Amino acid sequence: MSAVVSQNLQAKKIQNFYKVYKLNINLNKLRDLELNAVGLSVPFEDFTKVMRNKDKIQIIDNFLKILSEKTRVKINVSSRIILSGYLIKYYADLVLDSKEKRHPSDVGILEWSEELIKLLEIENINTITHYKKLSIFINNFENIFKQWKTMDKSRTIERIIISYHNRCEHIETINKDKNIDEDQKKEALKVLENQKNDLISSIIKIDPKFNIKYLQENYKQIFNELKNSWEKIFKQTGNTMKKAYYDMISQEIEKGNLQPVNDLFLEICKRILLITPEKRKESLLEKLSPNKIQEIIIDNDWNEELLKFIDMLADIILMFGAPVDDQENKKWRESIKYIEKYQYATKLPQILIQMEEKLDRIYQLIIENSKKKE
């Protein structure tokens, strides 16, 4: 390692240390508001008063301002949108309707709100790269929030359609059940049919031109189309977030800043070690050590040690993969063979983010299997 490169790396580390130090101070001020505890303990009306508290708004505004300055990711998000995330999480039944009646967009905004609060309140954010990811997430949360908020008339009709679909499904279930007493069955079906008629009347009041007959004949298809359309919107926003994160890392590599790549490697290694059996963990600790990572990325370009390290990580990740994903994983593993032929700043972030996605999938399957066992 040349003296100049070493000095530059140390200077970057010092700069990032003070950025993170400043951000941590302001994040801790936000956490000191104890919005989690308030949301869990006070009625809805009291929390809306908290949302209007000028001192609390100022603390969140200051954090967003410093987050934007230190990460160089432009954030024009109102503190009220952040507070709305808390409101949605802790008062979901009042803001979004009861769980069984929620529109797919309600489910989506609740998931995003829960993730936002997890990042702001729980996650250990200790690198500038993590703070940049938070900046990107906050910007995407605002987009999702605005989409959710502005659906208006069509969204109201969609909610009614979902309720109509649920009543129809319930009727089908009752009709198939041979163990229900006939008188009880007739009474239950009568109630559900009346509810369906009320829902139809509500749609006509909102939109007299709505094709009711088509809904009655194709309610399953319409429901699935609505569900799929919202899944696409949330997927697109998630992809936008990944793209922004990828662009950020790629740009930092081109500037000669090794910290984001270093942080991403560390995160991947940490996640691998968490799912590694104890008997194999010790042998991996040295191979995945922070010092090893610094050595292989110091050239800021492809080198033999880096390529071997990427191959090793890919093999370990695939070892933990599920058989159902084998075909897709083999194709991905094949695509890594010749990565040195691609531009370093373009290809390396792509491969590392793909590794994160593979690990997300593995963790998801572990959680699903744990739930099945329970």
Side-chain angles (χ1 to χ4, degrees):
M1 186 190 308
S2 71
V4 174
V5 172
S6 179
Q7 287 171 1
N8 288 340
L9 184 60
Q10 288 302 317
K12 284 282 184 184
K13 281 184 178 179
I14 293 168
Q15 289 170 5
N16 286 336
F17 172 80
Y18 282 108
K19 283 180 184 178
V20 171
Y21 175 74
K22 185 77 172 175
L23 284 163
N24 284 344
I25 289 173
N26 284 274
L27 179 61
N28 286 333
K29 286 181 182 178
L30 187 154
R31 289 178 174 178
D32 286 343
L33 298 176
E34 296 187 338
L35 295 171
N36 259 335
V38 175
L40 288 166
S41 60
V42 305
F44 175 82
E45 293 76 14
D46 289 350
F47 195 87
T48 59
K49 292 176 185 176
V50 171
M51 291 179 69
R52 297 192 293 272
N53 183 290
K54 291 182 179 178
D55 293 335
K56 289 178 171 56
I57 289 169
Q58 187 63 52
I59 287 170
I60 297 170
D61 281 339
N62 287 342
F63 173 69
L64 294 175
K65 182 182 176 184
I66 290 167
L67 182 64
S68 182
E69 287 173 358
K70 300 301 181 186
T71 61
R72 296 182 182 176
V73 176
K74 190 175 181 181
I75 302 172
N76 288 323
V77 177
S78 164
S79 58
R80 295 186 189 279
I81 288 180
I82 302 296
L83 287 165
S84 295
Y86 284 87
L87 194 74
I88 290 165
K89 173 176 166 58
Y90 292 111
Y91 305 93
D93 285 353
L94 294 172
V95 179
L96 307 176
D97 215 336
S98 58
K99 191 173 183 179
E100 63 276 6
K101 296 179 183 177
R102 278 174 203 160
H103 185 278
S105 65
D106 293 337
V107 176
I109 192 63
L110 178 58
E111 288 174 355
W112 277 77
S113 297
E114 288 171 343
E115 184 63 24
L116 174 71
I117 292 162
K118 179 182 171 186
L119 291 169
L120 291 175
E121 298 280 356
I122 302 167
E123 289 285 307
N124 184 21
I125 305 178
N126 51 17
T127 69
I128 199 67
T129 307
H130 286 143
Y131 273 111
K132 285 185 178 182
K133 286 172 75 173
L134 176 60
S135 302
I136 294 165
F137 186 91
I138 287 171
N139 281 333
N140 281 282
F141 178 79
E142 182 191 36
N143 292 335
I144 286 287
F145 180 83
K146 286 180 176 178
Q147 288 173 354
W148 168 75
K149 195 177 177 183
T150 56
M151 288 188 67
D152 200 22
K153 184 175 98 171
S154 62
R155 182 172 179 272
T156 304
I157 291 176
E158 284 180 20
R159 289 176 66 139
I160 296 171
I161 290 171
I162 290 167
S163 294
Y164 183 86
H165 167 271
N166 292 341
R167 300 303 185 284
C168 292
E169 293 287 296
H170 197 173
I171 287 169
E172 280 188 26
T173 303
I174 289 173
N175 280 326
K176 289 176 183 176
D177 195 332
K178 295 178 181 178
N179 297 319
I180 301 177
D181 177 79
E182 282 301 315
D183 290 336
Q184 289 180 333
K185 183 179 283 192
K186 285 179 183 177
E187 189 60 33
L189 291 173
K190 182 181 176 182
V191 171
L192 288 166
E193 287 293 346
N194 287 337
Q195 290 176 351
K196 279 173 61 183
N197 292 333
D198 289 342
L199 292 167
I200 293 293
S201 298
S202 298
I203 293 176
I204 293 169
K205 285 177 185 176
I206 297 167
D207 185 357
K209 295 180 180 180
F210 190 91
N211 191 336
I212 297 298
K213 187 179 179 182
Y214 184 79
L215 169 63
Q216 291 170 329
E217 294 173 353
N218 302 280
Y219 66 89
K220 286 187 179 181
Q221 180 187 337
I222 294 170
F223 173 78
N224 288 329
E225 286 173 358
L226 290 174
K227 190 175 178 183
N228 290 337
S229 67
W230 271 100
E231 283 175 356
K232 284 177 184 175
I233 288 173
F234 289 115
K235 188 176 180 181
Q236 284 167 0
T237 309
N239 288 339
T240 301
M241 185 175 173
K242 282 181 191 171
K243 178 68 168 61
Y245 183 46
Y246 163 81
D247 287 343
M248 180 269 290
I249 295 175
S250 185
Q251 288 163 13
E252 294 300 317
I253 289 173
E254 288 176 347
K255 290 176 191 174
N257 180 11
L258 308 180
Q259 196 62 47
V261 170
N262 183 73
D263 291 340
L264 193 46
F265 265 121
L266 285 173
E267 187 175 332
I268 290 166
C269 293
K270 181 181 176 183
R271 296 181 76 190
I272 287 172
L273 287 168
L274 281 172
I275 55 174
T276 300
E278 287 299 324
K279 61 183 179 182
R280 299 194 61 183
K281 192 173 288 187
E282 192 174 340
S283 63
L284 266 184
L285 277 170
E286 188 176 346
K287 293 177 183 177
L288 306 182
S289 71
N291 289 337
K292 176 70 175 174
I293 292 167
Q294 285 190 355
E295 287 173 13
I296 63 172
I297 66 170
I298 195 64
D299 293 344
N300 204 24
D301 203 349
W302 301 120
N303 62 57
E304 189 176 349
E305 286 301 309
L306 174 59
L307 293 170
K308 285 180 181 177
F309 192 76
I310 290 170
D311 280 340
M312 179 183 69
L313 291 181
D315 288 338
I316 293 170
I317 290 169
L318 295 195
M319 180 181 69
F320 287 115
V324 69
D325 297 324
D326 279 352
Q327 193 172 353
E328 182 189 331
N329 286 340
K330 283 175 184 176
K331 286 181 183 177
W332 175 71
R333 184 66 184 86
E334 193 68 22
S335 71
I336 296 175
K337 281 186 177 180
Y338 309 104
I339 54 173
E340 72 272 19
K341 294 182 179 180
Y342 297 89
Q343 188 181 352
Y344 179 76
T346 304
K347 195 66 176 177
L348 180 61
Q350 183 188 71
I351 293 297
L352 296 182
I353 290 171
Q354 286 171 355
M355 286 183 178
E356 286 275 49
E357 290 171 346
K358 297 290 178 190
L359 286 165
D360 287 341
R361 168 70 174 160
I362 291 165
Y363 272 75
Q364 177 195 352
L365 291 172
I366 290 171
I367 291 167
E368 287 175 3
N369 286 331
S370 297
K371 286 180 179 177
K372 285 178 183 176
K373 286 178 182 177
E374 286 172 7

